Amino acid sequence: MAWVPAESAVEELMPRLLPVEPCDLTDSFDPNVPPRTPQEYLRIEAAQCPDVVVAQIDPKKLKRKQSVNVSLSGCQPAPEGYSPTLQWQQQQVAQFSTVRQSVNRHRSHWKSQQLDSNVTMPKSEDEEGWKKFCLGERLYAEGAVAPAASESPGIDYVQIGFPPLLSIVSRMNQATVTSVLEYLSNWFGERDFTPELGRWLYALLACLEKPLLPEAHSLIRQLARRCSEVRLLVDSKDDERVPALNLLICLVSRYFDQRDLADEPS
């Protein structure tokens, strides 16, 4: 086996970006004299660069979740009579696209509007706080006794959840949008579908930027599959949850181009 010098081994692994002829600068190199030609400049720079550079990485600054598992399994087929028509799906995609354009166009305006004094948005990493904020203390507690009307005059958003107002969602950056989508998807993974949940999922999808990040790609596919699973448990096609579940599956599959998850038109 032929012996290969260390420098040649480095060049095998890391081909040169620009051709630089080898030279010995020990005698001719004067750091106080500017290089006279481009070739001389490249030679001086090359001589001063180390063969190997090691990046100093602080593991504390790395995100906890670095791995993204994307399942390729599709949605559960819709029961007979539950699947929407192709025309309905196309209409929903067109309307959703209009909503997204409107949100983006007016984001700066709504972001500048002052929130009501009772609105305190949780921090991005506060999963339980966002579940309570979006769904309400009552739904979050599951089975808590609702207060009497005389004890809670007016609308108590802390109890019923804050709606996804433009003044709220416009303040959410993409990291927060993805995080809240994950929090609510986790909640939905073990519970039934509710109107409060549906409103927030629709709003978050409307704020989700394309092209999708890997985390968001995995989340929306998980969401569509869960919607198809819940739809199987609905007793009647006239149940109000069916069109809402169909809508979310439609947006994920047809607007966000996850066509393998799309419902077959009825």
Side-chain angles (χ1 to χ4, degrees), residues 8-28:
S8 299
V10 172
E11 291 182 7
E12 287 279 335
L13 295 174
M14 301 176 62
R16 297 185 180 190
L17 180 63
L18 296 173
V20 180
E21 297 178 1
C23 63
D24 185 5
L25 297 174
T26 56
D27 297 329
S28 60

Side-chain angles (χ1 to χ4, degrees), residues 166-180:
L166 284 172
S167 57
I168 293 177
V169 298
S170 295
R171 285 174 161 79
M172 301 169 65
N173 58 28
Q174 282 302 290
T176 303
V177 169
T178 304
S179 293
V180 177

Side-chain angles (χ1 to χ4, degrees), residues 135 139 187-188 191-201 240-241 244-245:
L135 306 175
L139 185 59
W187 192 90
F188 182 35
R191 297 168 181 82
D192 200 358
F193 185 83
T194 67
E196 295 85 356
L197 176 65
R199 285 192 289 268
W200 267 99
L201 292 175
E240 63 180 7
R241 290 172 293 176
L245 294 168

Side-chain angles (χ1 to χ4, degrees), residues 106-121:
H106 301 293
R107 182 180 298 276
S108 297
H109 167 76
W110 287 107
K111 188 176 180 180
S112 65
Q113 301 300 304
Q114 187 173 356
L115 294 174
D116 291 341
S117 58
N118 66 329
V119 181
T120 302
M121 296 174 62

